Structures are given as structure tokens and as C-alpha cells.
Amino acid sequence: MDSTKQILNLLGLAKRAGKVITGEELVVKAIQIGRASLVFVAHDASENLIKKITDKSSYYEVSVLQTFSVNELSMAIGANRKVLAIADDGFAKKMESLMTN
């Protein structure tokens, strides 16, 4: 199984574990209060959304992944979302290690 499939599977697992924050405003809030360990934003989301999330994330030093499309992220968590945050260091570290392999 390739690393992108493993990450999408982990996203589903994190969602079921209650460690995924979804929706633009909630993700921005999670970044600001230090709850977000890793942020996913769809590469086909609007330019304004991508800029807002990447700017916030870089200011608060949170990693951002733009690897997946809206459809891939939505399928992984079972809800239509363009941006989501992982609120668990364990899940975030595993996902980041899979991205570097």
C-alpha cells in the first residue's frame, strides 16, 4: 500500500477516534490555540482558503499538507470538507513520516 493511501486510512481512523477538527473557522481556531498538530488543505480548494490556512499555519508553526483533493479528503473522513486539522501528536507524526518516505 502506498503512503498516500495509508495517510487517507489514518485520517479515517483519526476521525473515528475524535482527533480530527473540520471546517475553516474551527481549524483556524485550533491552529491559534495550539490544538492542531497537522493541517490538511485540499490542493483544489479556493486560493483564498489555501492562503488563509497556510499563512495562519506558518505563523503558528504548524505543518500543512496540500497533497489531497477535496474529494480525497472528503472520502477519507466521510464528510465534505476542504480543510481539516489533526488534534493528536501521534497521528500527526505518523502521517508526516509517511509523507517523507
Side-chain angles (χ1 to χ4, degrees):
M1 182 184 300
D2 69 340
S3 60
T4 55
K5 281 242 189 287
Q6 285 179 307
I7 292 170
L8 290 171
N9 288 341
L10 275 174
L11 270 174
L13 191 61
K15 173 72 171 158
R16 289 189 294 282
K19 302 295 183 183
V20 174
I21 301 164
T22 63
E24 180 182 344
E25 295 307 317
L26 293 174
V27 168
V28 168
K29 185 75 142 170
I31 293 168
Q32 290 172 329
I33 64 173
R35 214 169 142 229
S37 302
L38 177 64
V39 175
F40 288 88
V41 63
H43 60 74
D44 55 351
S46 71
E47 286 182 30
N48 288 342
L49 176 63
I50 292 172
K51 181 176 176 5
K52 180 178 184 178
I53 297 299
T54 53
D55 288 353
K56 279 284 184 220
S57 297
S58 65
Y59 181 80
Y60 289 96
E61 297 178 359
V62 177
S63 298
V64 178
L65 294 177
Q66 294 184 38
T67 309
F68 304 107
S69 68
V70 172
N71 191 38
E72 289 170 320
L73 289 177
S74 299
M75 292 290 285
I77 64 166
N80 191 16
R81 294 288 184 264
K82 294 178 178 75
V83 61
L84 48 94
I86 305 300
D88 181 87
D89 288 338
F91 278 116
K93 282 185 176 77
K94 180 64 177 168
M95 291 174 188
E96 285 178 322
S97 74
L98 286 170
M99 283 308 293
T100 57
N101 289 345

Coordinates of all heavy atoms in Angstrom, one line a residue:
M1 N 0.9 -1.2 0.0 CA 0.0 0.0 0.0 C 0.9 1.2 0.0 O 1.8 1.3 0.8 CB -0.9 0.0 1.2 CG -1.8 1.1 1.3 SD -2.8 1.2 2.8 CE -3.7 -0.3 2.8
D2 N 0.6 2.2 -0.9 CA 1.4 3.4 -0.9 C 1.1 4.4 0.2 O 0.1 4.2 0.9 CB 1.3 4.1 -2.3 CG 0.0 4.7 -2.5 OD1 -1.0 4.3 -1.9 OD2 -0.1 5.6 -3.4
S3 N 2.0 5.3 0.4 CA 1.9 6.2 1.6 C 0.7 7.1 1.6 O 0.1 7.4 2.6 CB 3.2 7.0 1.8 OG 3.4 7.8 0.6
T4 N 0.3 7.5 0.4 CA -0.9 8.4 0.4 C -2.2 7.6 0.8 O -3.0 8.2 1.5 CB -1.1 9.0 -1.1 OG1 -1.2 8.0 -2.0 CG2 0.0 10.0 -1.4
K5 N -2.3 6.4 0.4 CA -3.4 5.6 0.8 C -3.4 5.3 2.3 O -4.4 5.4 3.0 CB -3.4 4.2 0.1 CG -3.9 4.2 -1.3 CD -5.2 3.3 -1.4 CE -5.6 3.1 -2.8 NZ -6.3 4.3 -3.4
Q6 N -2.2 5.1 2.9 CA -2.0 4.9 4.3 C -2.4 6.2 5.1 O -3.1 6.1 6.1 CB -0.6 4.5 4.6 CG -0.2 3.1 4.3 CD 1.2 2.8 4.6 OE1 2.2 3.5 4.2 NE2 1.4 1.7 5.4
I7 N -2.0 7.3 4.5 CA -2.4 8.6 5.2 C -3.9 8.8 5.2 O -4.5 9.2 6.2 CB -1.7 9.8 4.5 CG1 -0.2 9.7 4.8 CG2 -2.3 11.1 5.1 CD1 0.6 10.7 4.0
L8 N -4.6 8.5 4.1 CA -6.0 8.6 4.0 C -6.7 7.6 5.0 O -7.7 8.0 5.6 CB -6.5 8.4 2.5 CG -6.1 9.5 1.6 CD1 -6.4 9.1 0.1 CD2 -6.8 10.8 1.9
N9 N -6.2 6.4 5.1 CA -6.7 5.5 6.0 C -6.5 6.0 7.5 O -7.4 5.8 8.3 CB -6.0 4.1 5.9 CG -6.5 3.4 4.6 OD1 -7.5 3.7 4.0 ND2 -5.7 2.4 4.2
L10 N -5.4 6.5 7.8 CA -5.1 7.1 9.1 C -6.1 8.3 9.4 O -6.5 8.5 10.5 CB -3.7 7.6 9.2 CG -2.6 6.6 9.6 CD1 -1.2 7.1 9.5 CD2 -2.9 6.0 11.0
L11 N -6.4 9.1 8.3 CA -7.3 10.2 8.5 C -8.7 9.6 9.0 O -9.3 10.2 9.9 CB -7.5 10.9 7.2 CG -6.6 12.1 7.0 CD1 -6.8 12.7 5.6 CD2 -6.8 13.2 8.0
G12 N -9.1 8.6 8.3 CA -10.4 7.9 8.7 C -10.4 7.4 10.1 O -11.3 7.6 10.9
L13 N -9.2 6.8 10.5 CA -9.1 6.3 11.9 C -9.1 7.4 12.9 O -9.7 7.4 13.9 CB -7.8 5.5 11.9 CG -7.5 4.7 13.2 CD1 -8.6 3.6 13.4 CD2 -6.1 4.0 13.1
A14 N -8.4 8.5 12.6 CA -8.3 9.7 13.4 C -9.7 10.3 13.6 O -10.1 10.7 14.7 CB -7.3 10.7 12.9
K15 N -10.5 10.3 12.5 CA -11.8 10.9 12.6 C -12.7 10.0 13.5 O -13.4 10.6 14.4 CB -12.4 10.9 11.2 CG -13.9 11.3 11.1 CD -14.1 12.7 11.4 CE -15.5 13.1 11.1 NZ -15.9 14.3 11.7
R16 N -12.6 8.7 13.4 CA -13.4 7.8 14.3 C -12.9 8.0 15.8 O -13.7 7.8 16.7 CB -13.3 6.4 13.8 CG -14.1 6.2 12.5 CD -14.2 4.7 12.2 NE -12.9 4.1 11.8 CZ -12.3 4.2 10.6 NH1 -12.8 5.0 9.7 NH2 -11.2 3.6 10.4
A17 N -11.6 8.3 16.0 CA -11.1 8.5 17.3 C -11.4 9.9 17.9 O -11.1 10.2 19.0 CB -9.6 8.3 17.3
G18 N -12.0 10.7 17.1 CA -12.4 12.1 17.5 C -11.2 13.0 17.6 O -11.2 14.0 18.3
K19 N -10.2 12.8 16.7 CA -9.0 13.6 16.7 C -8.9 14.5 15.5 O -7.8 15.0 15.2 CB -7.7 12.7 16.8 CG -7.7 11.9 18.0 CD -7.6 12.7 19.3 CE -7.5 11.8 20.5 NZ -7.5 12.6 21.8
V20 N -10.0 14.7 14.7 CA -10.0 15.5 13.5 C -10.9 16.7 13.7 O -12.0 16.5 14.2 CB -10.4 14.7 12.3 CG1 -10.6 15.6 11.1 CG2 -9.5 13.5 12.0
I21 N -10.4 17.8 13.4 CA -11.2 19.1 13.5 C -11.4 19.5 12.1 O -10.5 19.6 11.3 CB -10.4 20.2 14.2 CG1 -10.0 19.7 15.7 CG2 -11.1 21.5 14.2 CD1 -9.0 20.5 16.3
T22 N -12.7 19.7 11.7 CA -13.0 20.1 10.4 C -13.7 21.4 10.3 O -14.3 21.9 11.3 CB -14.0 19.0 9.7 OG1 -15.2 19.0 10.5 CG2 -13.3 17.6 9.7
G23 N -13.7 22.0 9.1 CA -14.3 23.3 8.9 C -13.3 24.5 9.0 O -12.5 24.4 9.9
E24 N -13.4 25.4 8.2 CA -12.4 26.5 8.1 C -12.2 27.2 9.4 O -11.1 27.4 9.9 CB -12.9 27.5 7.0 CG -11.9 28.7 6.9 CD -12.4 29.7 5.8 OE1 -13.3 29.3 5.0 OE2 -11.9 30.8 5.8
E25 N -13.3 27.7 10.0 CA -13.2 28.5 11.3 C -12.7 27.7 12.4 O -11.9 28.2 13.2 CB -14.6 29.2 11.6 CG -15.0 30.2 10.6 CD -14.0 31.3 10.3 OE1 -13.3 31.8 11.2 OE2 -13.8 31.6 9.1
L26 N -13.2 26.5 12.6 CA -12.7 25.6 13.7 C -11.2 25.3 13.5 O -10.5 25.2 14.5 CB -13.5 24.3 13.8 CG -15.0 24.5 14.2 CD1 -15.8 23.2 14.1 CD2 -15.1 25.1 15.6
V27 N -10.8 25.0 12.3 CA -9.4 24.7 12.1 C -8.5 25.9 12.4 O -7.5 25.8 13.0 CB -9.1 24.2 10.6 CG1 -7.7 24.2 10.3 CG2 -9.8 22.9 10.4
V28 N -8.9 27.1 11.9 CA -8.2 28.4 12.2 C -8.1 28.5 13.8 O -7.0 28.8 14.3 CB -8.8 29.6 11.6 CG1 -8.2 30.9 12.1 CG2 -8.6 29.5 10.1
K29 N -9.2 28.3 14.5 CA -9.2 28.5 15.9 C -8.2 27.4 16.6 O -7.5 27.7 17.5 CB -10.6 28.2 16.4 CG -10.8 28.5 17.9 CD -10.7 29.9 18.2 CE -11.7 30.3 19.2 NZ -11.5 31.7 19.6
A30 N -8.3 26.2 16.1 CA -7.4 25.1 16.6 C -5.9 25.5 16.4 O -5.1 25.2 17.3 CB -7.7 23.8 15.9
I31 N -5.6 26.1 15.2 CA -4.2 26.5 15.0 C -3.8 27.6 16.0 O -2.7 27.5 16.6 CB -4.1 27.0 13.5 CG1 -4.3 25.9 12.5 CG2 -2.7 27.7 13.3 CD1 -4.4 26.4 11.1
Q32 N -4.7 28.5 16.2 CA -4.4 29.7 17.1 C -4.2 29.2 18.5 O -3.3 29.8 19.2 CB -5.5 30.7 17.0 CG -5.5 31.5 15.7 CD -6.7 32.4 15.5 OE1 -7.8 32.1 16.1 NE2 -6.5 33.5 14.8
I33 N -5.0 28.3 19.0 CA -4.8 27.9 20.4 C -3.9 26.7 20.6 O -3.7 26.2 21.7 CB -6.2 27.5 21.0 CG1 -6.9 26.3 20.3 CG2 -7.2 28.7 21.0 CD1 -8.1 25.8 21.0
G34 N -3.2 26.3 19.5 CA -2.2 25.3 19.6 C -2.7 23.9 19.7 O -2.0 22.9 20.2
R35 N -3.9 23.6 19.3 CA -4.5 22.3 19.3 C -4.2 21.5 18.1 O -4.3 20.3 18.1 CB -6.0 22.4 19.5 CG -6.6 21.3 20.3 CD -8.0 21.5 20.8 NE -8.6 20.1 20.7 CZ -9.7 19.8 20.1 NH1 -10.4 20.8 19.6 NH2 -10.1 18.6 20.0
A36 N -3.9 22.2 17.0 CA -3.7 21.5 15.7 C -2.2 21.1 15.6 O -1.3 21.9 15.7 CB -4.0 22.4 14.5
S37 N -2.0 19.8 15.4 CA -0.6 19.3 15.2 C -0.2 19.2 13.8 O 0.9 19.3 13.4 CB -0.6 17.8 15.8 OG -0.9 17.8 17.1
L38 N -1.2 19.1 12.9 CA -1.0 19.0 11.4 C -2.3 19.4 10.7 O -3.4 19.1 11.2 CB -0.7 17.5 11.1 CG -0.5 17.2 9.6 CD1 0.7 17.9 9.0 CD2 -0.3 15.6 9.4
V39 N -2.1 20.1 9.6 CA -3.3 20.6 8.9 C -3.3 20.1 7.5 O -2.2 20.1 6.8 CB -3.3 22.2 8.9 CG1 -4.5 22.7 8.1 CG2 -3.5 22.7 10.3
F40 N -4.4 19.7 7.0 CA -4.6 19.3 5.6 C -5.5 20.3 5.0 O -6.6 20.7 5.5 CB -5.3 17.9 5.5 CG -4.4 16.8 5.9 CD1 -4.4 16.4 7.2 CD2 -3.7 16.1 4.9 CE1 -3.6 15.3 7.6 CE2 -2.9 15.0 5.3 CZ -2.8 14.6 6.6
V41 N -5.1 20.8 3.8 CA -6.0 21.7 3.0 C -5.9 21.1 1.6 O -4.9 20.8 1.1 CB -5.5 23.2 3.1 CG1 -4.2 23.4 2.5 CG2 -6.6 24.1 2.4
A42 N -7.1 21.0 1.0 CA -7.2 20.4 -0.4 C -6.5 21.3 -1.4 O -6.6 22.6 -1.3 CB -8.6 20.3 -0.7
H43 N -5.7 20.7 -2.3 CA -5.0 21.5 -3.3 C -5.9 22.1 -4.3 O -5.6 23.1 -4.9 CB -3.9 20.6 -4.0 CG -4.5 19.4 -4.7 ND1 -5.1 19.5 -5.9 CD2 -4.4 18.1 -4.4 CE1 -5.5 18.3 -6.3 NE2 -5.1 17.4 -5.4
D44 N -7.2 21.6 -4.4 CA -8.1 22.3 -5.3 C -9.2 23.1 -4.6 O -10.2 23.5 -5.1 CB -8.8 21.2 -6.2 CG -9.5 20.1 -5.3 OD1 -9.3 20.0 -4.1 OD2 -10.2 19.2 -5.9
A45 N -8.8 23.5 -3.3 CA -9.7 24.5 -2.6 C -9.5 25.9 -3.2 O -8.5 26.1 -4.0 CB -9.4 24.5 -1.1
S46 N -10.3 26.8 -2.8 CA -10.1 28.2 -3.3 C -8.8 28.8 -2.9 O -8.2 28.4 -1.8 CB -11.2 29.1 -2.8 OG -11.1 29.3 -1.4
E47 N -8.2 29.7 -3.7 CA -6.9 30.3 -3.4 C -7.0 31.1 -2.1 O -6.0 31.1 -1.3 CB -6.5 31.3 -4.5 CG -6.1 30.5 -5.8 CD -5.6 31.5 -6.9 OE1 -5.1 32.6 -6.5 OE2 -5.8 31.2 -8.0
N48 N -8.1 31.7 -1.8 CA -8.3 32.5 -0.5 C -8.2 31.6 0.7 O -7.5 31.9 1.7 CB -9.6 33.2 -0.5 CG -9.6 34.4 -1.4 OD1 -8.6 34.9 -1.9 ND2 -10.8 34.9 -1.7
L49 N -8.8 30.4 0.6 CA -8.8 29.4 1.7 C -7.4 28.9 1.9 O -6.9 28.9 3.0 CB -9.8 28.3 1.5 CG -9.8 27.2 2.5 CD1 -10.2 27.7 3.9 CD2 -10.7 26.0 2.1
I50 N -6.7 28.5 0.8 CA -5.4 28.0 0.9 C -4.4 29.0 1.5 O -3.7 28.7 2.4 CB -4.9 27.5 -0.5 CG1 -5.7 26.3 -0.9 CG2 -3.4 27.2 -0.4 CD1 -5.4 25.9 -2.4
K51 N -4.5 30.3 1.1 CA -3.7 31.3 1.6 C -3.9 31.6 3.1 O -3.0 31.7 3.9 CB -3.9 32.6 0.8 CG -3.0 33.7 1.3 CD -3.1 35.0 0.5 CE -2.3 36.2 0.9 NZ -1.4 36.1 2.0
K52 N -5.2 31.6 3.5 CA -5.6 31.9 4.9 C -5.0 30.8 5.8 O -4.4 31.1 6.8 CB -7.1 31.9 5.0 CG -7.6 32.2 6.4 CD -9.1 32.2 6.4 CE -9.7 32.6 7.7 NZ -11.1 32.7 7.7
I53 N -5.2 29.5 5.4 CA -4.7 28.4 6.2 C -3.2 28.3 6.2 O -2.6 28.1 7.3 CB -5.3 27.1 5.7 CG1 -6.9 27.1 5.8 CG2 -4.7 25.9 6.4 CD1 -7.4 27.3 7.2
T54 N -2.5 28.5 5.1 CA -1.1 28.4 5.1 C -0.4 29.6 5.8 O 0.5 29.4 6.5 CB -0.5 28.3 3.6 OG1 -1.0 29.4 2.9 CG2 -0.8 27.0 3.0
D55 N -1.0 30.8 5.7 CA -0.5 31.9 6.5 C -0.6 31.7 8.0 O 0.3 31.9 8.7 CB -1.2 33.2 6.1 CG -0.8 33.7 4.7 OD1 0.1 33.1 4.1 OD2 -1.4 34.7 4.2
K56 N -1.8 31.3 8.4 CA -2.0 31.0 9.9 C -1.1 29.9 10.3 O -0.5 30.0 11.4 CB -3.5 30.6 10.1 CG -4.5 31.7 10.2 CD -4.4 32.4 11.5 CE -5.4 33.4 11.6 NZ -5.0 34.7 12.2
S57 N -1.0 28.9 9.6 CA -0.2 27.7 10.0 C 1.3 28.1 10.0 O 2.0 27.7 11.0 CB -0.3 26.6 9.0 OG -1.7 26.1 9.0
S58 N 1.8 28.9 9.1 CA 3.2 29.2 9.1 C 3.5 30.2 10.3 O 4.5 30.1 11.0 CB 3.7 29.9 7.8 OG 3.0 31.1 7.6
Y59 N 2.6 31.1 10.6 CA 2.7 32.0 11.8 C 2.8 31.2 13.1 O 3.6 31.5 13.9 CB 1.6 33.0 11.8 CG 1.7 34.0 12.9 CD1 2.6 35.1 12.8 CD2 1.0 33.8 14.1 CE1 2.8 36.0 13.9 CE2 1.2 34.7 15.2 CZ 2.1 35.8 15.0 OH 2.2 36.7 16.1
Y60 N 1.9 30.2 13.2 CA 1.9 29.4 14.5 C 2.7 28.2 14.4 O 2.6 27.3 15.3 CB 0.4 29.1 14.8 CG -0.4 30.3 15.3 CD1 -1.2 31.0 14.4 CD2 -0.3 30.7 16.6 CE1 -1.9 32.1 14.9 CE2 -1.0 31.8 17.1 CZ -1.8 32.5 16.2 OH -2.5 33.6 16.6
E61 N 3.5 28.0 13.3 CA 4.4 26.9 13.1 C 3.8 25.5 13.2 O 4.2 24.6 13.9 CB 5.6 27.0 14.1 CG 6.4 28.2 14.0 CD 7.5 28.4 15.0 OE1 7.7 27.5 15.9 OE2 8.3 29.4 14.9
V62 N 2.7 25.4 12.3 CA 2.0 24.1 12.2 C 2.2 23.6 10.8 O 2.1 24.4 9.8 CB 0.5 24.3 12.5 CG1 -0.2 23.0 12.3 CG2 0.3 24.8 13.9
S63 N 2.5 22.4 10.6 CA 2.8 21.8 9.3 C 1.5 21.7 8.5 O 0.4 21.4 9.0 CB 3.4 20.4 9.4 OG 4.6 20.4 10.0
V64 N 1.6 22.0 7.2 CA 0.4 21.9 6.3 C 0.7 21.0 5.1 O 1.8 21.1 4.5 CB 0.0 23.3 5.7 CG1 -1.1 23.2 4.8 CG2 -0.3 24.3 6.8
L65 N -0.2 20.1 4.8 CA -0.1 19.2 3.7 C -1.2 19.6 2.7 O -2.4 19.7 3.0 CB -0.3 17.8 4.1 CG 0.8 17.2 5.0 CD1 0.5 15.8 5.4 CD2 2.2 17.3 4.4
Q66 N -0.8 19.8 1.4 CA -1.7 20.1 0.3 C -1.7 19.0 -0.7 O -1.9 19.2 -1.9 CB -1.4 21.4 -0.3 CG -1.5 22.6 0.5 CD -1.3 23.9 -0.2 OE1 -1.6 24.0 -1.4 NE2 -0.6 24.8 0.5
T67 N -1.5 17.7 -0.3 CA -1.3 16.6 -1.2 C -2.7 16.1 -1.8 O -2.7 15.7 -2.9 CB -0.7 15.4 -0.4 OG1 0.4 15.9 0.3 CG2 -0.4 14.3 -1.3
F68 N -3.7 16.3 -1.0 CA -5.0 15.6 -1.4 C -6.0 16.6 -2.0 O -6.0 17.8 -1.7 CB -5.6 14.9 -0.3 CG -4.7 13.9 0.3 CD1 -4.1 14.1 1.6 CD2 -4.4 12.7 -0.3 CE1 -3.2 13.2 2.1 CE2 -3.5 11.8 0.2 CZ -2.9 12.0 1.4
S69 N -7.0 16.1 -2.8 CA -8.0 16.9 -3.3 C -9.2 16.9 -2.3 O -9.2 16.2 -1.4 CB -8.5 16.3 -4.7 OG -9.2 15.0 -4.4
V70 N -10.2 17.8 -2.6 CA -11.4 17.9 -1.8 C -12.0 16.5 -1.7 O -12.4 16.1 -0.6 CB -12.4 18.9 -2.3 CG1 -13.7 18.9 -1.6 CG2 -11.8 20.3 -2.3
N71 N -12.1 15.9 -2.9 CA -12.8 14.6 -2.9 C -12.1 13.5 -2.1 O -12.7 12.8 -1.3 CB -12.9 14.1 -4.4 CG -13.8 12.9 -4.5 OD1 -14.8 12.8 -3.9 ND2 -13.4 12.0 -5.4
E72 N -10.8 13.5 -2.1 CA -10.0 12.5 -1.4 C -10.1 12.7 0.1 O -10.3 11.8 0.9 CB -8.5 12.6 -1.7 CG -8.2 12.0 -3.1 CD -6.8 12.3 -3.6 OE1 -6.3 13.4 -3.4 OE2 -6.2 11.4 -4.2
L73 N -10.0 14.0 0.6 CA -10.2 14.3 2.0 C -11.6 14.0 2.5 O -11.8 13.4 3.5 CB -9.9 15.8 2.3 CG -8.5 16.3 2.2 CD1 -8.4 17.8 2.4 CD2 -7.6 15.5 3.2
S74 N -12.6 14.3 1.6 CA -14.0 14.1 2.0 C -14.3 12.6 2.1 O -14.9 12.1 3.1 CB -14.9 14.7 1.0 OG -14.7 16.1 0.9
M75 N -13.7 11.8 1.2 CA -13.9 10.3 1.2 C -13.3 9.7 2.5 O -13.8 8.8 3.1 CB -13.4 9.7 0.0 CG -14.1 10.0 -1.3 SD -15.8 9.2 -1.4 CE -15.3 7.6 -1.7
A76 N -12.1 10.2 2.8 CA -11.4 9.7 4.0 C -12.1 9.9 5.3 O -12.1 9.0 6.1 CB -10.0 10.3 4.0
I77 N -12.8 11.0 5.5 CA -13.4 11.3 6.7 C -14.9 11.1 6.7 O -15.6 11.2 7.7 CB -13.0 12.7 7.3 CG1 -13.6 13.8 6.4 CG2 -11.5 12.8 7.5 CD1 -13.5 15.1 7.1
G78 N -15.5 10.9 5.5 CA -16.9 10.7 5.4 C -17.8 11.9 5.5 O -18.9 11.9 5.8
A79 N -17.2 13.1 5.2 CA -17.9 14.4 5.2 C -17.2 15.3 4.2 O -16.0 15.2 4.0 CB -17.9 15.0 6.6
N80 N -18.0 16.1 3.6 CA -17.5 17.0 2.5 C -16.7 18.2 3.2 O -17.3 19.1 3.7 CB -18.6 17.5 1.6 CG -18.1 18.2 0.4 OD1 -16.9 18.1 0.0 ND2 -19.0 19.0 -0.2
R81 N -15.4 18.1 3.1 CA -14.5 19.1 3.7 C -13.3 19.5 2.9 O -12.8 18.6 2.2 CB -14.0 18.7 5.1 CG -15.1 18.5 6.2 CD -15.6 19.8 6.6 NE -16.5 19.6 7.7 CZ -17.9 19.6 7.6 NH1 -18.4 19.7 6.4 NH2 -18.6 19.5 8.6
K82 N -12.9 20.8 2.9 CA -11.8 21.2 2.2 C -10.5 21.4 3.1 O -9.4 21.4 2.6 CB -12.1 22.6 1.5 CG -13.1 22.5 0.4 CD -13.4 23.9 -0.1 CE -14.4 23.9 -1.2 NZ -15.8 23.7 -0.7
V83 N -10.8 21.5 4.4 CA -9.7 21.7 5.3 C -10.0 21.0 6.6 O -11.1 20.9 7.0 CB -9.4 23.3 5.6 CG1 -10.7 23.9 6.2 CG2 -8.2 23.5 6.4
L84 N -8.9 20.4 7.2 CA -9.1 19.7 8.4 C -7.8 19.7 9.2 O -6.7 19.9 8.6 CB -9.6 18.3 8.3 CG -9.0 17.4 7.2 CD1 -8.0 16.5 7.9 CD2 -10.1 16.5 6.6
A85 N -7.9 19.6 10.5 CA -6.7 19.6 11.4 C -6.7 18.3 12.2 O -7.7 17.8 12.6 CB -6.7 20.8 12.3
I86 N -5.5 17.8 12.4 CA -5.3 16.6 13.3 C -4.9 17.2 14.7 O -4.0 17.9 14.8 CB -4.1 15.7 12.8 CG1 -4.4 15.3 11.3 CG2 -4.0 14.5 13.7 CD1 -5.7 14.5 11.1
A87 N -5.7 16.8 15.7 CA -5.5 17.3 17.0 C -4.9 16.2 17.9 O -5.3 16.0 19.1 CB -6.9 17.7 17.6
D88 N -3.9 15.5 17.4 CA -3.2 14.4 18.1 C -1.8 14.3 17.6 O -1.6 14.1 16.4 CB -4.0 13.1 17.9 CG -3.4 11.9 18.7 OD1 -3.7 11.8 19.9 OD2 -2.5 11.2 18.1
D89 N -0.8 14.4 18.5 CA 0.6 14.4 18.0 C 1.0 13.0 17.4 O 1.7 13.0 16.5 CB 1.5 14.7 19.2 CG 1.4 16.1 19.6 OD1 1.0 17.0 18.8 OD2 1.8 16.4 20.8
G90 N 0.4 11.9 18.0 CA 0.8 10.6 17.5 C 0.3 10.4 16.0 O 1.1 10.0 15.2
F91 N -0.9 10.7 15.7 CA -1.4 10.7 14.3 C -0.6 11.6 13.4 O -0.2 11.2 12.3 CB -2.9 11.0 14.2 CG -3.9 9.9 14.6 CD1 -4.7 10.0 15.7 CD2 -3.9 8.8 13.8 CE1 -5.6 9.0 16.0 CE2 -4.8 7.8 14.1 CZ -5.6 7.9 15.3
A92 N -0.4 12.8 13.9 CA 0.4 13.8 13.1 C 1.8 13.3 12.7 O 2.2 13.4 11.6 CB 0.4 15.1 13.8
K93 N 2.5 12.8 13.7 CA 3.8 12.3 13.5 C 3.9 11.2 12.5 O 4.7 11.1 11.6 CB 4.5 11.9 14.8 CG 5.0 13.0 15.7 CD 5.7 12.5 16.9 CE 6.3 13.7 17.7 NZ 5.3 14.4 18.5
K94 N 2.9 10.2 12.6 CA 2.9 9.1 11.7 C 2.6 9.6 10.3 O 3.2 9.1 9.3 CB 1.8 8.1 12.2 CG 1.6 6.9 11.3 CD 2.9 6.0 11.3 CE 2.7 4.8 10.5 NZ 3.9 4.1 10.3
M95 N 1.6 10.5 10.1 CA 1.3 11.0 8.8 C 2.5 11.7 8.2 O 2.8 11.6 7.0 CB 0.1 11.9 8.9 CG -1.2 11.1 9.2 SD -2.6 12.3 9.4 CE -3.8 11.2 10.0
E96 N 3.2 12.6 9.0 CA 4.3 13.3 8.4 C 5.4 12.3 8.1 O 6.1 12.5 7.1 CB 4.8 14.3 9.5 CG 3.9 15.5 9.6 CD 4.4 16.5 10.6 OE1 4.9 16.1 11.7 OE2 4.3 17.7 10.4
S97 N 5.6 11.3 8.8 CA 6.7 10.3 8.5 C 6.4 9.6 7.2 O 7.2 9.3 6.4 CB 6.9 9.3 9.6 OG 5.9 8.4 9.7
L98 N 5.1 9.3 7.0 CA 4.7 8.6 5.7 C 4.9 9.6 4.5 O 5.2 9.1 3.4 CB 3.2 8.2 5.8 CG 2.9 7.0 6.7 CD1 1.4 6.8 6.9 CD2 3.5 5.7 6.1
M99 N 4.7 10.9 4.7 CA 4.9 11.8 3.6 C 6.4 11.9 3.2 O 6.7 12.2 2.1 CB 4.4 13.2 4.0 CG 2.9 13.4 4.0 SD 2.1 12.9 2.5 CE 2.7 14.1 1.3
T100 N 7.3 11.7 4.1 CA 8.7 11.9 3.8 C 9.3 10.6 3.2 O 10.4 10.6 2.7 CB 9.5 12.3 5.0 OG1 9.3 11.3 6.1 CG2 9.1 13.6 5.5
N101 N 8.5 9.5 3.3 CA 9.0 8.2 2.8 C 8.8 8.1 1.3 O 7.9 8.6 0.7 CB 8.4 7.0 3.5 CG 8.9 6.8 4.9 OD1 9.9 7.4 5.2 ND2 8.2 6.1 5.7

